[in-house]
Amino acid sequence: MANNVRELRPKLPESEKITINLGYVDLGHVDLMVQEGFYSNRTDFIRTAIRNQLDRHADVVKQSTARKSLDLGLRNYSREDLEAAQRAGEMLHINVLGLASISQDVTPELARATIASVSVLGALHASPAVKAVLADRTR
């Protein structure tokens, strides 16, 4: 039965790795909070701090998202989506807060012919070739 199971679309990662630089004293404070049991590890502390700041500024983020006409969350652009835009003679403006994903079967030529601009606050997943042809259209 397991041989009949196929993945319809690849599972996207649920997070993006980032690197931050902290001064030694700040890092020591984080380690102290972990040691005292307030947080399970450094990552838990940092995620909590980021979420608290996002909650604190939620109204401003919501207003900016609406003002900039951003798609919020995960947005996938399939080959079929781009081919439909091409048939309609339309150019897409990709504006995403979250994760924008351009399917791996999208050719660089199709992407160039159908995507006018790319603005992603978060992460853009696309093949290196597609990213390369859209580099001058990416903000």
Side-chain angles (χ1 to χ4, degrees):
M1 181 102 150
N3 293 338
N4 295 337
V5 177
R6 290 186 332 173
E7 188 176 13
L8 295 178
R9 73 179 89 124
K11 182 169 171 41
L12 297 173
E14 294 181 16
S15 63
E16 184 83 9
K17 185 175 184 174
I18 64 169
T19 302
I20 63 169
N21 296 317
L22 283 178
Y24 298 117
V25 173
D26 290 338
L27 184 58
H29 283 118
V30 171
D31 286 344
L32 180 62
M33 298 294 285
V34 170
Q35 187 179 58
E36 292 296 316
F38 289 98
Y39 300 94
S40 58
N41 53 44
R42 290 175 174 176
T43 299
D44 182 33
F45 176 91
I46 293 166
R47 279 191 190 124
T48 301
I50 290 170
R51 287 182 184 130
N52 287 341
Q53 286 298 324
L54 292 173
D55 285 346
R56 178 187 233 179
H57 300 287
D59 290 339
V60 173
V61 171
K62 191 174 186 177
Q63 291 169 5
S64 291
T65 301
R67 186 178 69 249
K68 294 180 180 200
S69 300
L70 296 169
D71 288 337
L72 183 62
L74 305 176
R75 180 67 167 93
N76 183 56
Y77 295 88
S78 68
R79 187 184 82 240
E80 292 79 17
D81 295 333
L82 299 186
E83 288 172 345
Q86 190 174 40
R87 283 191 302 274
E90 297 174 352
M91 294 291 286
L92 301 176
H93 296 274
I94 297 175
N95 296 304
V96 175
L97 188 153
L99 173 64
S101 176
I102 300 172
S103 296
Q104 293 298 309
D105 61 351
V106 170
T107 65
E109 296 77 21
L110 180 59
R112 185 84 184 159
T114 57
I115 299 173
S117 65
V118 179
S119 177
V120 178
L121 299 170
L124 171 63
H125 288 183
S127 71
V130 167
K131 283 184 176 182
V133 299
L134 297 176
D136 64 328
R137 299 175 182 188
T138 302
R139 297 179 261 151

